[in-house]
Amino acid sequence: MNMKYTITTPLYYVNDKPHLGSSYTTIACDAIARFERLNGNTVLFLTGVDEHGQKIERTAESKNLEPQLHCDEITEKYKYLWDKLNISYDRFVRTTSIEHTSLVHQFYSKVLKSDDVYMGRQSGWYCVGCEEYKDVEDKDKSPICSIHKKELEWRDEENLFFKLSKYQDQIEKLIHVDGFISPKSRKNEIINFVSKGLRDFSISRVNLKWGINVPGNKDHTFYVWFDALLGYVSGSLNDQCSPELTEKSLSNWPANIHVIGKDILRFHAVYWPAMLLSAGMKTPRSVFGHGFLTREGQKMGKSLGNVLDPIELLEYGGIDAMRWYLLRDIEFGEDGDFQMRRFVDIVNSDLCNTIGNLLNRTITMSKKWFKENIPIDNTLSSDSTLKVKSETKIIEYMESFKDSNFKSSANAIIDLANSANLYLNDRAPWKLIKDISNKNIVALDIYSVLESCRIIGILLNPIVPNLSNRILKQLNIDTSNINFKDSLQWGLLDPNNGLQDPTPVMDKIEFNEDPR
RNA sequence: GUCAGUGUAGCUCAGCCGGUUAGAGCACAGCAUUCAUAACGCUGAGGUCGAGAGUUCAAGUCUCUCCACUGACACCA
């Protein structure tokens, strides 16, 4: 059954090039998007960049660039990396686009009509890095942001405020809806936060040029978060060239899932839905706040000097290695620790040995004994313990993936591969074949393992698409139009298809202490 | 300070409602050896289940207290 499925990464801030954390988020979204496509759904996979705000303005200044040129430069770095990581996004949103600006204005007029904006005064200590006011004791003369370690700036200015408090009851109800916020720890956090009472927040800034002007308020620029969140909507419009907030143009909305880092949970689970309710629009179906990555047990930070550049990791291990490790070994909802030794071990063991060698040894036997035709008559009715195991693991895989439990999905694949290896040792076809009367039995055994490899190849597709394609290619399977429904039934590998010469589908990674 | 989450073998994790001698994968050690990518397979070592107390015939699993880590909020600076 074909359904529309809209998934978003955060719109990444272009203060700097992408880091491992944003790569992790984007790879996870890519896996989900591919999974949904393989299930026959029509997917709109949105990513993009958030380009406004004071930090961008100042970063550009320091580089002696116009902000727009700075944004263009950094945007290209994001696109380059997503291309290298084989991210299959459908749309790339830019908040500096004319279309986005137009939509922000339309949205704002709806919020005005709901009488949810008022002029107020805001004073306090402000961190440009966070784009947030900080609560600070009045007597402190030079407060510092605890996150960015930079001096806060005193602000005392008139801002437009959004009546968030008006939506206390509706937000309270929404956040309790099953499945709206995942994982459970994030849901609890938001329930606690909302129970303390929602306070109105300012949606504009003065003394800021780099942003979208507030209509009817010459000196006010939209607060970066107000404008950025709307990137999800502007990016999902049917007609990208003629952005209109109409029911027809919003058929890809609401998003099925916003995948975000835990640090921006409040914006996505509280402020954003309230804004949408104010404009009379549907709220997203779910928000998944995943954890952060540390490295060898430590937080990554420039000042610590231990940032792991995704480009370097990519060059060191390759795209399939990177994707596999991040999805298979890091628990998606929780913080995870990137360990280089473990990265190498897991990738080599799972992809090169368990799966890669399985394919290699089985194709070698098949070609040696049966050339291009495995003597089997009816593959669909053939019985094998591997068939049963395969069916069990497919179910586990599907249920886990639906919960964004990539680790469990990957484990199901590895279990099937282990079972195929054990099956081969148990059956020992290299002994059986010595007696020619066993030819048909051996043919069935070889076919069962090759069929398992085919299924493994297909299940790997959302996680490591390039490896998946190499596996299926060696089995001479056309991958241009596969889907789960038509591809996971046992017995679909044509025994007269012929197989390609076995070559390693995955190169080993040699462990270096420091890939930098 | 309040709330929430986490703490099980070197690493990553499983362990539904209390019930065998606490498990899996990886890593490590040994064996075996080719159909096979120094691979597959077999065997082994490795655990105060954060600490203490309690309930119970019996607790990793329930209760209480405490410790550590993470996050949110509050407070302080």
Side-chain angles (χ1 to χ4, degrees):
Chain A
M1 182 183 172
N2 184 284
M3 290 186 296
K4 293 189 179 194
Y5 190 90
T6 301
I7 176 171
T8 69
T9 69
L11 300 189
Y12 297 112
Y13 211 40
V14 289
N15 58 313
D16 201 358
K17 64 183 180 181
H19 53 70
L20 191 63
S22 47
S23 301
Y24 178 41
T25 311
T26 306
I27 286 169
C29 285
D30 190 58
I32 296 170
R34 287 175 189 270
F35 176 80
E36 295 297 336
R37 289 192 193 105
L38 284 162
N39 273 315
N41 293 324
T42 300
V43 172
L44 176 60
F45 174 10
L46 279 178
T47 189
V49 287
D50 169 18
E51 298 173 85
H52 293 134
Q54 196 135 45
K55 188 155 65 177
I56 299 303
E57 194 173 64
R58 292 187 183 181
T59 301
E61 266 176 34
S62 74
K63 291 164 71 178
N64 201 25
L65 276 177
E66 287 296 307
Q68 187 66 61
L69 290 180
H70 165 78
C71 292
D72 292 345
E73 271 183 18
I74 302 296
T75 296
E76 285 313 303
K77 289 179 193 289
Y78 273 87
K79 287 183 168 180
Y80 173 83
L81 181 58
W82 298 160
D83 180 60
K84 287 296 174 186
L85 289 174
N86 198 6
I87 304 299
S88 61
Y89 62 89
D90 298 297
R91 282 185 196 161
F92 193 99
V93 178
R94 295 193 60 176
T95 58
T96 50
S97 76
I98 294 168
E99 294 81 10
H100 176 70
T101 298
S102 169
L103 185 120
V104 170
H105 288 164
Q106 290 177 58
F107 185 89
Y108 179 65
S109 77
K110 283 177 179 273
V111 172
L112 278 180
K113 278 176 188 171
S114 295
D115 197 27
D116 284 337
V117 179
Y118 63 91
M119 188 72 74
R121 192 161 197 97
Q122 179 157 281
S123 62
W125 292 96
Y126 190 79
C127 174
V128 175
C130 295
E131 301 274 8
E132 271 190 301
Y133 279 88
K134 298 296 180 185
D135 291 334
V136 171
E137 170 65 38
D138 282 334
K139 64 184 178 186
D140 193 318
K141 291 182 178 181
S142 297
I144 289 172
C145 173
S146 60
I147 296 169
H148 294 88
K149 307 301 177 188
K150 287 183 178 178
E151 279 189 355
L152 301 181
E153 300 172 8
W154 181 256
R155 296 279 179 92
D156 181 4
E157 62 188 32
E158 231 176 2
N159 291 141
L160 293 159
F161 279 76
F162 174 73
K163 289 181 184 176
L164 181 64
S165 53
K166 177 178 163 183
Y167 292 91
Q168 175 79 36
D169 290 344
Q170 284 179 269
I171 293 297
E172 194 95 60
K173 187 179 175 184
L174 175 65
I175 63 181
H176 279 87
V177 170
D178 270 358
F180 178 63
I181 305 174
S182 299
K184 189 170 187 280
S185 55
R186 310 283 180 247
K187 178 174 176 173
N188 291 339
E189 174 180 325
I190 290 299
I191 286 173
N192 189 28
F193 172 72
V194 172
S195 74
K196 299 292 169 66
L198 295 176
R199 297 188 296 179
D200 299 345
F201 69 97
S202 75
I203 58 168
S204 75
R205 294 287 185 272
V206 296
N207 298 323
L208 165 65
K209 292 176 185 174
W210 185 240
I212 297 174
N213 177 253
V214 178
N217 289 272
K218 203 173 185 179
D219 298 321
H220 287 253
T221 303
F222 277 117
Y223 175 43
V224 63
W225 269 107
F226 183 86
D227 127 46
L229 291 162
L230 282 160
Y232 296 132
V233 175
S234 58
S236 67
L237 293 177
N238 287 334
D239 187 350
Q240 287 286 286
C241 297
S242 181
E244 291 177 9
L245 278 181
T246 62
E247 195 167 330
K248 183 185 174 188
S249 69
L250 285 164
S251 61
N252 290 317
W253 190 259
N256 289 76
I257 183 167
H258 288 320
V259 180
I260 58 165
K262 62 183 185 180
D263 56 326
I264 52 177
L265 182 64
R266 207 185 329 138
F267 291 98
H268 287 78
V270 179
Y271 302 161
W272 178 223
M275 285 159 59
L276 288 160
L277 290 168
S278 174
M281 290 172 64
K282 290 171 183 170
T283 57
R285 294 219 164 100
S286 65
V287 177
F288 193 105
H290 68 76
F292 285 168
L293 292 176
T294 53
R295 184 182 181 189
E296 313 292 345
Q298 284 192 334
K299 285 186 181 182
M300 279 188 265
K302 291 176 189 174
S303 56
L304 288 167
N306 67 348
V307 173
L308 178 54
D309 182 36
I311 297 287
E312 287 171 11
L313 182 61
L314 192 54
E315 285 167 356
Y316 173 47
I319 176 179
D320 291 313
M322 190 170 164
R323 289 178 65 122
W324 179 255
Y325 178 75
L326 289 176
L327 294 177
R328 182 242 190 276
D329 211 52
I330 306 295
E331 192 100 32
F332 192 44
E334 307 301 317
D335 289 353
D337 188 37
F338 188 101
Q339 297 167 32
M340 192 59 72
R341 174 80 250 184
R342 188 169 167 85
F343 166 70
V344 171
D345 287 348
I346 287 295
V347 168
N348 285 345
S349 173
D350 290 344
L351 302 185
C352 300
N353 299 348
T354 303
I355 293 175
N357 181 62
L358 174 68
L359 184 68
N360 199 280
R361 74 198 281 211
T362 316
I363 290 181
T364 298
M365 287 188 280
S366 183
K367 281 179 152 298
K368 183 174 175 181
W369 304 328
F370 307 118
K371 306 293 188 254
E372 303 301 312
N373 304 294
I374 303 168
I376 286 183
D377 290 330
N378 193 343
T379 62
L380 297 181
S381 65
S382 67
D383 219 357
S384 164
T385 58
L386 282 180
K387 177 184 176 182
V388 175
K389 174 66 73 170
S390 168
E391 286 162 356
T392 300
K393 291 300 160 182
I394 288 169
I395 292 170
E396 286 177 24
Y397 172 97
M398 292 297 170
E399 285 175 359
S400 298
F401 224 111
K402 280 166 185 163
D403 291 337
S404 300
N405 191 342
F406 307 120
K407 173 194 276 274
S408 182
S409 302
N411 281 339
I413 298 171
I414 289 299
D415 283 349
L416 179 53
N418 280 332
S419 295
N421 274 306
L422 283 164
Y423 180 87
L424 275 177
N425 271 51
D426 182 49
R427 302 292 299 171
W430 53 87
K431 289 178 182 172
L432 289 175
I433 200 66
K434 289 179 163 61
D435 183 347
I436 198 65
S437 67
N438 290 326
K439 187 176 178 180
N440 288 338
I441 296 170
V442 167
L444 183 55
D445 287 344
I446 293 299
Y447 180 83
S448 293
V449 177
L450 288 173
E451 178 63 348
S452 296
C453 289
R454 182 185 71 82
I455 287 173
I456 286 163
I458 290 170
L459 295 179
L460 282 172
N461 198 265
I463 303 173
V464 282
N466 290 359
L467 173 61
S468 165
N469 289 339
R470 291 198 294 278
I471 290 169
L472 297 174
K473 185 180 177 185
Q474 285 208 6
L475 297 168
N476 271 338
I477 291 166
D478 177 23
T479 58
S480 58
N481 195 24
I482 60 170
N483 63 83
F484 284 150
K485 180 171 175 280
D486 297 327
S487 304
L488 290 176
Q489 185 187 351
W490 184 267
L492 295 179
L493 178 67
D494 185 351
N496 301 309
N497 209 34
L499 304 165
Q500 298 207 352
D501 289 338
T503 57
V505 288
M506 190 75 191
D507 292 333
K508 280 283 193 63
I509 308 172
E510 292 210 15
F511 178 64
N512 299 330
E513 197 60 50
D514 188 340
R516 301 215 282 153

